[in-house]
């Protein structure tokens, strides 16, 4: 029994915004019914708070006191030159771009090659065009992922747009697909976007999500992003996300639901920097044997940044392999959280799962909380996890400085060395360099 | 010129005195060797010259070209020309050797008011110097010293040294771990740096190295003090007699 609690200011304003805006959101009446149901779930439960086990380190109800006005039909002028600036190192990746500004698709900034076997569409266009046939794009979070997550429900209710990608069996996306979600303009806004990516059997795709902001954008922003990705039998996907903002009061609520077929291979990566409040939820379900998951990430926090990565990996079938490596660098009073749950179902014999989280604390006031959880019901498995907290290596610092490298440069070098192990997981060299450059720019930005 | 005057030093953490009044002068252009039993304080002296803050100078002074360097940070000393080749070079995972070298070389050049090297200039220089030391350039694309053999690490130290063009070279047991051919290559590398402007302090346990790098003087460090100094023949004498003489003296 949940006791009715007073709605917070944020909850009230999100509720009111929905009543006001729902008729303007893309989709027909079937889609609206899905949105209404999701909104109902949110209205009943409210924002998650610390008494909910999965949210004990991130009291969102308390941290997100106010909700910014929901962005809909945004028309902030943005040029290609602006886009290049906002993309920073990601501008150098030779990619097809699908660009959204404040949650709205911008065709004139996008460049998608026509390729047989591959379709890339705006979610809003698709919902508008198909009437109710595509309401499932919003209705389902992902096979195996929870269907009552409040943050996902909030996304379902409000999604203005997103990218729908379909790769037919055997096809291969030629160039990486770069999905750009940009904050721009002086209006601080709440945006909700949703991506649905389906990679057919034996197909290959490389997808990058970049959540960036244009210099001069409002100091505050709130984003709720959902990506559902299914990797069919024998398909191979590299999926990387960068949530890189410029420091103000920026909240990022990210949600990935990944479903892997037989012999599928999925490499996922996440970088978070310059975001004051982040919660990344990643749900992975193994749906076929001999699939491989390699998930890694880097979170960089300073000032009062709070970055939470919570993942659930469900080994629901035998003989799959999962690897997770998350590394955080925390300065000032920043706080990092890593919760990694690995479930091994009774039938999932021969599961091989290993998880590691590490944080480098640069200040005595920084904090890292790690909560690994193994729920193993099978007996013939190899599973392990570890978590460590460390400081910059004093001896290595001396070694660098004895070679004439000043302290600040040596710090950056040694932090790069620390996060390098996770970044190296990105196979594509150009993409890896973009992520490295992004992280390095954050490291060097310290006054 | 390096002048060490009545140097006393201790380990900060343990409050343990290690150096108990070292007096030593290495004139510009000279190469001096330091020998001495294990644990006598040779590496400690080398670290203190380079500015490691695990040690504290409690008395005395270190003058480099007439100025005290005791209060200087390690990177300032490097810019002033001090270089220590470590007895145990460290590994830096995730940082490519070339990146490390280039960062170091340009940091030092900047502080010395020299132009920073462009990528082609740097590559040309590093290829030439690595070639002289029989170091494969591919090895420098790997993270600094990670997975290197003992001998490879020592060679990589000497490469760093020749790239940074120091004026005071302190070599801490650079010969240990080197095979016979590598010893020759490394010694040639060190000898190539010998010049009338440069001073060198070579710490070793073996007279053999001093056949290749012939010192102007040899000092024996035991129990935190220079116990005896002499010409290069002192090394030969020690080879025969060992350090028994000095342990008695201390007792
Ligand atoms: N960080 C430290 N903590 C504790 N003791 C130390 C530390 N550094 C040096 N010592 C001690 O100081 C003494 C001198 O050590 P040092 O390494 O200078 O000797 P060394 O002459 O270089 O010996 P070797 O020939 O074996 O290399 C030794 O007794 C050693 O154990
Ligand atoms: Mg020693």
């Amino acid at each position: 029994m949940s006791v009715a609690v007073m709605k917070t200011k944020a909850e009230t304003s999100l509720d009111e915004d929905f009543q006001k805006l729902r008729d303007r959101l893309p989709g027909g009446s079937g889609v609206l019914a899905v949105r209404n149901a999701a909104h109902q779930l949110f209205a009943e439960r409210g924002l998650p708070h610390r008494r909910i086990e999965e949210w004990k380190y991130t009291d969102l109800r308390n941290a997100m006191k106010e909700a910014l006005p929901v962005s809909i039909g945004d028309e902030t002028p943005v040029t290609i030159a602006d886009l290049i600036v906002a993309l920073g190192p990601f501008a150098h990746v030779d990619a097809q771009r699908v660009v959204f500004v404040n949650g709205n698709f911008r065709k004139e900034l996008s460049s998608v090659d026509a390729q047989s076997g591959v379709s890339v569409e705006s979610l809003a266009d698709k919902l508008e065009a198909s009437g109710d046939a595509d309401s499932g794009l919003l209705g389902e979070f992902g096979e195996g992922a929870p269907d009552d997550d409040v943050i996902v429900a909030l996304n379902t209710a409000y999604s203005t747009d997103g990218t729908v990608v379909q790769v037919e069996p055997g096809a291969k996306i030629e160039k990486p697909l770069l999905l750009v979600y940009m904050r721009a303009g002086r209006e601080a806004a709440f945006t909700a976007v949703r991506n649905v990516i389906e990679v057919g059997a034996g197909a290959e795709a490389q997808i990058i999500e970049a959540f960036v902001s244009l210099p001069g954008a409002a100091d505050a922003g709130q984003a709720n992003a959902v990506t559902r990705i299914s990797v069919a039998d024998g398909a191979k996907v590299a999926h990387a996300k960068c949530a890189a903002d410029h420091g103000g009061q920026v909240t990022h609520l990210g949600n990935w639901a990944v479903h892997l077929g037989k012999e599928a291979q999925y490499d996922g990566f996440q970088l978070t920097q310059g975001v004051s409040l982040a919660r990344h939820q990643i749900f992975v379900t193994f749906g076929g044997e001999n699939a491989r998951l390699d998930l890694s990430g880097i979170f960089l926090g300073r000032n009062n940044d709070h970055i939470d990565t919570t993942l659930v990996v469900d080994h629901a079938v035998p003989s799959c392999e999962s690897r997770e490596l998350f590394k955080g660098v925390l300065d000032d009073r920043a706080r990092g959280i890593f919760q990694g749950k690995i479930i091994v179902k009774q039938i999932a014999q021969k599961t091989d799962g290993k998880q590691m989280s590490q944080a480098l604390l640069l200040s005595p006031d920084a904090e890292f909380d790690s909560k690994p959880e193994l729920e193993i019901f099978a007996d013939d498995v190899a599973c392990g996890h570890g978590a460590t907290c460390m400081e910059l290596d004093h001896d290595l610092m001396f070694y660098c400085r004895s070679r004439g490298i000043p302290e600040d440069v040596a710090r950056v070098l040694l932090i790069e060395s620390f996060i390098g192990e996770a970044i190296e997981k990105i196979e594509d060299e150009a993409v890896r360099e973009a992520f490295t450059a992004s992280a390095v720019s954050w490291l060097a930005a310290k006054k | 010129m390096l002048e060490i005057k009545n140097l006393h030093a201790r380990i900060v953490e343990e409050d343990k005195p290690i150096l108990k009044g070292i007096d030593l002068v290495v004139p510009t252009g000279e190469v001096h060797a330091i020998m001495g039993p294990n644990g006598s304080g040779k590496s400690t002296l080398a670290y203190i010259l380079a500015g490691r803050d695990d040690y504290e100078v409690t008395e005395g002074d270190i003058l480099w070209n007439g100025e005290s360097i005791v209060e200087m940070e390690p990177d300032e000393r490097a810019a002033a020309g001090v270089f220590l080749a470590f007895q145990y070079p460290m590994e830096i995972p995730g940082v490519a050797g070339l990146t490390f070298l280039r960062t170091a070389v340009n940091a030092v050049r900047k502080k010395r008011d020299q132009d920073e090297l462009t990528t082609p200039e740097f590559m040309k220089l590093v290829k030439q110097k690595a070639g002289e030391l029989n170091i494969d350039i591919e090895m420098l694309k790997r993270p600094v010293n990670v997975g290197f053999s003992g001998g490879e690490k020592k060679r990589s130290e000497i490469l760093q040294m020749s790239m940074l063009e120091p004026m005071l070279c302190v070599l801490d047991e650079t010969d240990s771990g080197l095979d016979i051919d590598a010893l020759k290559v490394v010694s040639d590398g060190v000898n190539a740096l010998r010049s009338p402007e440069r001073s060198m302090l070579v710490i070793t346990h073996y007279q053999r190295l001093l056949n290749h790098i012939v010192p102007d003087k040899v000092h024996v460090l035991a129990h935190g003090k220079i116990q005896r100094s002499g010409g290069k023949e002192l090394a030969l004498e020690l080879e025969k007699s060992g350090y028994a003489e000095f342990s008695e003296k201390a007792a």
Side-chain angles (χ1 to χ4, degrees), chain A residues 23-295:
Chain A
D23 294 327
R24 289 173 57 204
L25 290 162
S29 59
V31 172
L32 185 58
V34 169
R35 292 187 189 272
N36 278 331
H39 176 257
Q40 188 60 32
L41 181 79
F42 170 70
E44 276 165 18
R45 303 239 191 116
L47 290 169
H49 50 79
R50 66 191 153 82
R51 283 186 301 280
I52 295 169
E53 181 61 22
E54 292 80 13
W55 291 83
K56 74 169 176 182
Y57 297 110
T58 301
D59 191 345
L60 192 64
R61 177 175 286 171
N62 187 43
M64 196 175 134
K65 293 216 170 56
E66 290 187 39
L68 297 168
V70 173
S71 164
I72 182 166
D74 177 87
E75 288 178 352
T76 307
V78 170
T79 63
I80 294 273
D82 291 337
L83 173 66
I84 302 294
V85 171
L87 278 176
F90 291 91
H92 304 301
V93 178
D94 182 20
Q96 311 180 59
R97 295 180 187 149
V98 189
V99 181
F100 299 78
V101 176
N102 297 332
N104 264 4
F105 177 54
R106 290 295 185 82
K107 192 161 198 291
E108 76 282 7
L109 299 174
S110 303
S111 55
V112 178
D113 310 337
Q115 196 194 322
S116 72
V118 180
S119 95
V120 179
E121 290 167 277
S122 131
L123 174 77
D125 289 353
K126 218 165 153 63
L127 291 177
E128 285 294 325
S130 70
D132 293 335
D134 281 323
S135 61
L137 291 175
L138 278 186
E140 296 142 26
F141 176 32
E143 206 179 330
D147 55 11
D148 64 344
D149 187 276
V150 174
I151 300 304
V152 175
L154 198 58
N155 182 283
T156 303
Y158 282 110
S159 272
T160 49
D161 216 333
T163 313
V164 181
V165 181
Q166 266 162 331
V167 187
E168 283 177 18
K172 180 180 178 200
I173 299 193
E174 302 288 352
K175 278 192 207 168
L177 202 56
L178 177 60
L179 315 181
V180 184
Y181 296 94
M182 190 201 301
R183 290 199 309 117
R186 268 179 236 118
E187 302 292 325
F190 176 99
T191 54
V193 292
R194 190 173 195 109
N195 307 308
V196 180
I197 297 160
E198 283 171 7
V199 182
E204 274 185 45
Q206 187 174 6
I207 292 154
I208 307 157
E209 300 178 43
F211 289 81
V212 293
S213 67
L214 193 59
D219 199 42
Q222 292 169 338
N224 180 325
V226 169
T227 299
R228 181 220 303 176
I229 180 159
S230 64
V231 186
D233 296 354
K236 191 169 181 272
V237 170
H239 181 201
K241 170 173 173 173
C242 152
D245 217 293
H246 289 105
Q249 286 303 306
V250 175
T251 298
H252 187 96
L253 304 171
N255 309 273
W256 279 4
V258 181
H259 185 266
L260 303 179
K262 200 174 67 174
E263 288 166 20
Q265 182 176 334
Y266 173 85
D267 296 338
F269 182 89
Q270 295 196 335
L271 169 67
T272 311
Q273 64 186 69
V275 175
S276 53
L277 174 61
R279 161 87 167 191
H280 297 289
Q281 311 196 98
I282 306 175
F283 301 93
V284 183
T285 306
F286 285 97
E289 296 183 18
N290 295 310
R292 229 185 145 267
L293 165 74
D294 204 328
L295 203 56

Side-chain angles (χ1 to χ4, degrees), chain A residues 7 10-19 39 42-43 158:
Chain A
K7 275 203 167 69
E11 288 162 349
T12 307
S13 86
L14 282 169
D15 190 25
E16 286 171 4
D17 268 9
F18 185 72
Q19 312 295 346
H39 176 257
F42 170 70
Y158 282 110

Side-chain angles (χ1 to χ4, degrees), chain B residues 11 14 16 18 36-45 54-55 87-88 172-173 205:
Chain B
I11 297 164
E14 313 217 340
K16 178 176 162 187
I18 309 281
N38 293 132
S40 58
K42 301 181 299 296
S43 292
T44 302
L45 174 63
D54 301 83
Y55 304 95
Q87 182 174 1
Y88 303 107
D172 191 359
E173 291 195 32
H205 284 297

Side-chain angles (χ1 to χ4, degrees), chain A residues 394-396 399 401 403 417, chain B residues 52-53 75 84 93 157 160:
Chain A
H394 184 74
D395 294 341
L396 279 183
Y399 188 59
R401 296 189 69 190
R403 267 60 185 141
S417 150
Chain B
R52 188 168 186 148
D53 67 1
D75 46 308
L84 166 64
E157 291 287 288
Q160 292 177 17

Side-chain angles (χ1 to χ4, degrees), chain B residues 64-119:
Chain B
W64 170 236
N65 295 333
E67 282 182 47
S68 173
I69 58 168
V70 169
E71 296 298 322
M72 278 164 75
E73 296 292 328
D75 46 308
E76 291 169 348
R77 297 188 197 199
V82 179
F83 183 93
L84 166 64
F86 282 51
Q87 182 174 1
Y88 303 107
M90 295 180 193
E91 301 183 359
I92 316 180
V95 176
L98 285 172
T99 309
F100 182 73
L101 263 180
R102 191 170 168 198
T103 308
V105 167
N106 280 338
V108 160
R109 291 184 68 93
K110 203 169 147 186
K111 281 203 201 128
R112 292 180 189 158
D113 287 325
Q114 294 168 317
D115 285 336
E116 292 183 31
L117 296 183
T118 62
T119 304

